[in-house]
Amino acid sequence: SPWNALLQAMESEVSAAFDSGGPEDILSRAFKLTVTREDICTLQPLGWLNDRIMNFYMGLLVERSKKEGYPAVYAFNTFFYSKLSSTNHKGVKKWTKGVDIFEHDVILVPIHLKIHWTLLVVDLREKTIKYFDSLGQRGDHICETVLKYLEEESREKRNIELTASEWTLHSMRAEEIPQQNNGNDCGVFVCKFADFISRDKPIVFTPEHMPYFRRKMVWEIIHQQLL
């Protein structure tokens, strides 16, 4: 069938991305990012996704959100939260130069915690801040840090006071979202949490989907388009 032919073509392309050439070869360029074969190889089974792959994928989600029928998505860089948490609003004020983040529906904040990836999601329509961790750890202080950031950003950029009491902060519990069953898939979980959320879809995947998601992400990054 044409579908099988397509899958086979994709498979051979993914294998080639992993195997046929040097680590420095450039396989994709967009969003002011350059992705090399070495970066792409972090998407091999049990590889640990690096910042470049995470940020590139977030870029693809933001691009897609510009299409009809999708919520408007803003994604922060993976370095944003560590900078915010080690400084304050002043330390990251320039990150949103020329952007009004409040004109979006959803804000994605991928978070790098030393050796673990998690995701924080601000829904400006619902006034919620939710924290997604595929190891089930709570991130209440992370939610609070970001709410404080939003208050200061709103005050500074649009002279509007946010009412903190109108906001709901919630760390997703292990039984509410899929959980990883190894020590390596957190980055893929974060990318897929973000993918489903940025389509307003319920999060219904399982750890068994991870090998497939990894190969699909290789194709998507090389072709700069989400399937």
Side-chain angles (χ1 to χ4, degrees):
S1 75
W3 176 240
N4 276 346
L6 174 70
L7 286 179
Q8 273 170 331
M10 281 174 62
E11 278 301 318
S12 56
E13 224 178 321
V14 171
S15 300
F18 288 148
D19 302 323
S20 61
E24 314 297 303
D25 296 350
I26 291 168
L27 300 190
S28 200
R29 254 201 192 101
F31 321 118
K32 300 185 183 143
L33 293 167
T34 302
V35 172
T36 65
R37 190 178 314 281
E38 191 174 4
D39 298 323
I40 284 285
C41 281
T42 67
L43 283 161
Q44 284 177 310
L46 300 182
W48 173 266
L49 271 53
N50 67 14
D51 289 282
R52 226 171 272 149
I53 294 293
M54 300 294 287
N55 286 321
F56 202 98
Y57 194 79
M58 295 296 148
L60 291 174
L61 295 177
V62 168
E63 269 313 295
R64 179 180 66 190
S65 84
K66 295 171 184 170
K67 292 185 190 160
E68 190 84 25
Y70 288 93
V73 175
Y74 184 84
F76 276 105
N77 183 290
T78 52
F79 302 106
F80 168 78
Y81 182 77
S82 48
K83 180 78 177 162
L84 171 67
S85 59
S86 64
T87 57
N88 52 24
H89 182 266
K90 278 192 194 67
V92 292
K93 208 167 79 173
K94 292 196 182 77
W95 292 54
T96 51
K97 203 170 171 233
V99 180
D100 181 356
I101 59 173
F102 298 98
E103 282 175 0
H104 298 79
D105 298 316
V106 173
I107 300 171
L108 303 172
V109 188
I111 295 176
H112 196 186
L113 302 168
K114 294 197 180 75
I115 53 161
H116 185 47
W117 289 111
T118 64
L119 179 70
L120 181 139
V121 179
V122 179
D123 191 322
L124 290 157
R125 303 164 296 185
E126 308 274 333
K127 297 192 178 169
T128 60
I129 299 177
K130 289 183 180 167
Y131 182 70
F132 294 77
D133 183 345
S134 53
L135 288 177
Q137 295 158 343
R138 298 185 68 93
D140 301 347
H141 63 292
I142 297 178
C143 294
E144 283 154 21
T145 302
V146 171
L147 179 58
K148 190 162 175 260
Y149 164 81
L150 290 173
E151 290 181 76
E152 292 175 16
E153 180 78 357
S154 179
R155 194 174 297 138
E156 185 112 343
K157 286 280 167 78
R158 17 173 239 170
N159 214 4
I160 295 175
E161 290 291 328
L162 287 192
T163 313
S165 60
E166 291 175 357
W167 284 74
T168 307
L169 279 50
H170 178 62
S171 290
M172 304 298 276
R173 294 186 305 277
E175 56 276 14
E176 292 180 279
I177 52 170
Q179 300 286 292
Q180 67 194 86
N181 56 7
N182 60 37
N184 307 72
D185 280 337
C186 53
V188 188
F189 271 82
V190 164
C191 288
K192 298 317 284 187
F193 288 151
D195 168 27
F196 280 70
I197 289 161
S198 62
R199 290 182 283 149
D200 281 334
K201 291 280 181 267
I203 295 168
V204 290
F205 59 84
T206 70
E208 285 66 53
H209 289 98
M210 291 301 129
Y212 164 68
F213 283 159
R214 283 174 175 271
R215 295 183 81 80
K216 188 166 125 170
M217 284 173 72
V218 172
W219 193 95
E220 291 172 328
I221 288 170
I222 291 172
H223 289 271
Q224 299 172 19
Q225 97 188 59
L226 295 168
L227 288 168

